[in-house]
Amino acid sequence: MLKCEQFNKICAALDKCEHYQKFKVYKDKILALGNDSLEKTIAIAVALCLVCAVLVSFSAVALKPLQVGNKEQDMKKNILEVAGLLQEGGNIDAVFKDKIEAKIVNLETGDYVEDMNPAEYDQRKAAKDPALSVAIPKEKDIAHIRVKAKYAKVFLVKEAGAIKSVILPINGYGLWSTLYGFLSLDADGQTVQSINFYDQAETPGLGGEVVNPNWRALWKGKKVYAETEQASLEKGLIEEAEVGEPALALIKGVVDTSKPGSQYQVDGLAGASLTSAGVTNLVRYWMSKEGFAPYLAKVRTVKGVKS
């Protein structure tokens, strides 16, 4: 009954509208024209375009909250997956709230930024904001991303109040696209737990294998920073690294675990040398002093691990 009354009020208001009355007159005129009339054809086409535009706009606005919610849910799922906490049929929101703590890090100092709300910070958007980003010198931009946000959102996996692992956002250019993902490290800031790329457009079956669970499993237990001189390290896509510098890299072929330095090597992607090089470069960039090295040094200090 209430809806009928509202509809009647709307109709009454339209009847008093001068523009609506003119529209009705024009509508009747157009409908009276023959089907072969050019004016009628154009008028109907314009009307259909307007109706479709209104419907599309309405759908975009109405569905935006759902799209944002799905995006947040997918991001939580990827973070839990790289943390090894994703369970089939589990409550993603509950596990995330219970196990994961998001923090904002100043990449220059490695300190937490306490006056910024992690829930409201979008690092990818910040990288496009001149006030929140910084240009990367060409000689240091091995990940080919040109600019980076001044602050990064990291995720801590805690157990009994202590940091169990840290999840770091990483990105860099492959062959066809910029790859966005997460790298999970033990609390020593040195040992890899997992890697996950949630946004990439590399060639399916080649560079696109960065999302293959079997390949991703090869990263577990690998070391990020060189612990000894790497002069004997087998050549491939990897370069020698000084002690304390990022050494983790993909190589050509399969890693021979019996050889020195294999703890810093991951099998390259077959037939995708440029994507492999891109993954090496983005990992090395974000693990360097340009990325998370200052922060990881402080994480190790907190854990009592010599940095």
Side-chain angles (χ1 to χ4, degrees):
M1 180 66 70
L2 181 60
K3 290 184 177 180
C4 291
E5 291 178 359
Q6 291 176 340
F7 179 75
N8 291 333
K9 288 180 180 180
I10 293 173
C11 291
L14 287 174
D15 287 337
K16 295 178 181 179
C17 177
E18 180 182 352
H19 295 293
Y20 179 68
Q21 295 304 320
K22 289 181 179 180
F23 168 75
K24 286 180 66 178
V25 172
Y26 182 70
K27 180 198 70 172
D28 293 338
K29 173 188 172 184
I30 290 298
L31 292 178
L33 295 174
N35 291 336
D36 58 347
S37 169
L38 178 61
E39 183 180 1
K40 183 175 183 179
T41 301
I42 294 175
I44 291 177
V46 170
L48 285 173
C49 289
L50 288 174
V51 170
C52 291
V54 170
L55 289 175
V56 170
S57 298
F58 175 79
S59 299
V61 173
L63 295 175
K64 187 173 182 179
L66 181 61
Q67 293 171 340
V68 172
N70 287 340
K71 184 178 180 181
E72 291 177 353
Q73 193 78 352
D74 185 64
M75 189 61 67
K76 289 180 180 179
K77 180 179 177 181
N78 279 284
I79 293 169
L80 291 178
E81 183 178 5
V82 80
L85 297 173
L86 185 64
Q87 297 179 349
E88 187 70 28
N91 188 318
I92 292 176
D93 290 325
V95 176
F96 192 90
K97 183 178 180 180
D98 183 52
K99 299 291 187 180
I100 305 294
E101 179 184 5
K103 303 283 281 186
I104 303 297
V105 172
N106 183 321
L107 288 174
E108 183 178 4
T109 64
D111 296 322
Y112 290 127
V113 183
E114 301 297 348
D115 59 352
M116 293 179 68
N117 185 353
E120 298 175 354
Y121 182 69
D122 187 323
Q123 189 173 336
R124 289 177 68 168
K125 288 184 178 179
K128 300 176 183 178
D129 185 342
L132 296 172
S133 62
V134 59
I136 304 171
K138 189 174 182 180
E139 66 275 10
K140 295 181 178 180
D141 188 21
I142 59 174
H144 303 292
I145 55 178
R146 299 183 181 179
V147 296
K148 66 177 179 182
K150 295 178 181 178
Y151 309 102
K153 185 192 294 189
V154 303
F155 301 89
L156 307 179
V157 181
K158 291 190 172 182
E159 200 170 79
I163 298 175
K164 180 181 179 183
S165 60
V166 293
I167 300 171
L168 310 173
I170 53 176
N171 67 290
Y173 204 79
L175 173 59
W176 304 112
S177 65
T178 299
L179 297 88
Y180 293 89
F182 294 109
L183 181 66
S184 175
L185 302 178
D186 286 344
D188 62 5
Q190 164 74 331
T191 308
V192 177
Q193 283 192 351
S194 182
I195 192 169
N196 184 22
F197 290 102
Y198 62 87
D199 187 359
Q200 55 84 29
E202 298 299 284
T203 308
L206 296 174
E209 288 297 288
V210 291
V211 299
N212 188 319
N214 294 327
W215 179 77
R216 290 172 49 211
L218 300 175
W219 289 73
K220 187 172 180 60
K222 296 297 181 179
K223 304 297 182 180
V224 174
Y225 299 101
E227 298 164 308
T228 58
E229 294 296 342
Q230 299 301 305
S232 63
L233 198 62
E234 183 177 326
K235 297 294 183 180
L237 295 175
I238 192 172
E239 297 175 358
E240 294 178 9
E242 297 181 0
V243 175
E245 294 297 318
L248 184 59
L250 276 64
I251 67 166
K252 293 178 180 177
V254 178
V255 174
D256 185 344
T257 57
S258 66
K259 292 186 176 181
S262 62
Q263 68 269 37
Y264 308 109
Q265 299 176 331
V266 179
D267 294 1
L269 298 163
S273 59
L274 292 179
T275 301
S276 297
V279 173
T280 292
N281 290 334
L282 71 87
V283 168
R284 284 195 157 191
Y285 176 80
W286 286 108
M287 296 302 101
S288 73
K289 294 177 182 178
E290 290 290 306
F292 290 106
Y295 168 66
L296 291 174
K298 295 188 176 185
V299 170
R300 289 192 290 271
T301 300
V302 170
K303 286 293 293 180
V305 179
K306 186 177 179 180
S307 57

